[in-house]
Amino acid sequence: MGGGLPEGRRVAPSILAADWSRMWEQVKSVMDAGARVIHVDVMDGHFVPPISMGPQMVEALSDHVHDAGGWLDVHLMIDRPEHQVESFARAGADSINIHWEATPHVHYALKAVRDAGCVPGLAINPATPPEAVTAAADMFEILLCMTVNPGWGGQPFIETSTDKIQRLRSLLPDRVAITVDGGIDAQTAGRCSGAGARLFVAGSAVFGAADPAEAYTQIAVAAGAS
Ligand code: DX5
Ligand code: ZN
């Protein structure tokens, strides 16, 4: 996709919770409702216990999503993400979020994302203090604040996250978009929006609903998103 991360507040449906037997149909339904950021959760069975998907999924969706004006936001819940950045960039990722806790080489990994032509994001687990990320703040455009422990969809939102988002917002430059990820629905999205989040990842609240397009719209309205 040309240009940068879509502007304004955005709800990013997470395909982890979609019906994988008809993946593009599911993604198309939320894009038709206005979604422009599609979130891809990659898990390696090591950094987090489950194994999910890899660059093949990004590649399978890339042309469809980009032709529809969308953005692929990849979340690497994998150890030593710097070794995998290139393959996700080649597959069509637009932004790549690596975890603070997954490598001793955070700065290097973020540089690898930028060098690969993608927008760099830094993700942090619930117990990682906001202050930890400031030293590398010039290296990322997205700060992904986990609002559940990474590894599974469908977990309840950790309530102390709203204070953490406010703190992150006060520490980081304005150009950095704060993503919230985990337990986001119409209620929690509103609270996170008030605290300063700009991207709202929602998996089960969107694709677990009877009508994902309608669920997307409700969360977007609650978040004040376009
Ligand atoms: C969790 C993933 C999330 C997940 C969110 O490890 O990073 O992106 O898909 O799922 P819900 O919205 O169901 O909490
Ligand atoms: Zn995620």
Side-chain angles (χ1 to χ4, degrees):
M1 182 180 177
L5 185 68
E7 283 176 13
R9 293 192 188 92
R10 299 280 173 168
V11 173
S14 164
I15 63 170
L16 187 67
D19 176 351
W20 293 22
S21 68
R22 47 192 188 101
M23 186 58 93
W24 168 237
E25 188 188 322
Q26 292 260 280
V27 173
K28 184 175 185 308
S29 71
V30 291
M31 290 196 74
D32 286 347
R36 287 295 173 269
V37 181
I38 303 300
H39 186 80
V40 179
D41 285 309
V42 178
M43 306 180 186
D44 65 351
H46 198 239
F47 179 68
V48 292
I51 294 174
S52 61
M53 56 191 108
Q56 293 91 341
M57 181 65 87
V58 174
E59 197 172 349
L61 288 173
S62 178
D63 286 351
H64 289 300
V65 169
H66 292 145
D67 289 350
W71 178 275
L72 281 166
D73 179 51
V74 172
H75 180 191
L76 296 181
M77 286 165 277
I78 66 174
D79 275 327
R80 301 303 299 265
E82 60 272 26
H83 300 317
Q84 300 298 330
V85 160
E86 189 58 49
S87 64
F88 283 94
R90 247 196 326 265
D94 296 296
S95 45
I96 300 179
N97 301 276
I98 61 111
H99 263 268
W100 168 262
E101 305 83 3
T103 175
H105 302 295
V106 170
H107 189 284
Y108 175 86
L110 292 166
K111 183 174 183 303
V113 174
R114 186 168 288 168
D115 289 349
C118 298
V119 167
L122 180 61
I124 56 172
N125 281 343
T128 301
E131 291 74 15
V133 305
T134 53
D138 59 328
M139 295 304 294
F140 55 86
E141 304 299 320
I142 300 170
L143 189 287
L144 187 157
C145 179
M146 288 302 310
T147 46
V148 299
N149 285 295
W152 301 272
Q155 302 177 78
F157 180 81
I158 296 171
E159 291 296 337
T160 50
S161 302
T162 41
D163 289 346
K164 186 172 178 181
I165 296 156
Q166 272 179 350
R167 178 72 180 141
L168 284 164
R169 192 61 285 167
S170 72
L171 288 169
L172 293 170
D174 288 348
R175 62 171 173 77
V176 174
I178 295 179
T179 301
V180 285
D181 186 2
I184 299 299
D185 57 21
Q187 280 71 45
T188 54
R191 297 208 289 279
C192 292
S193 184
R198 168 150 118 66
L199 296 172
F200 305 80
V201 176
S204 43
V206 171
F207 291 113
D211 183 344
E214 171 61 24
Y216 164 83
T217 303
Q218 282 176 10
I219 301 167
V221 168
S226 37

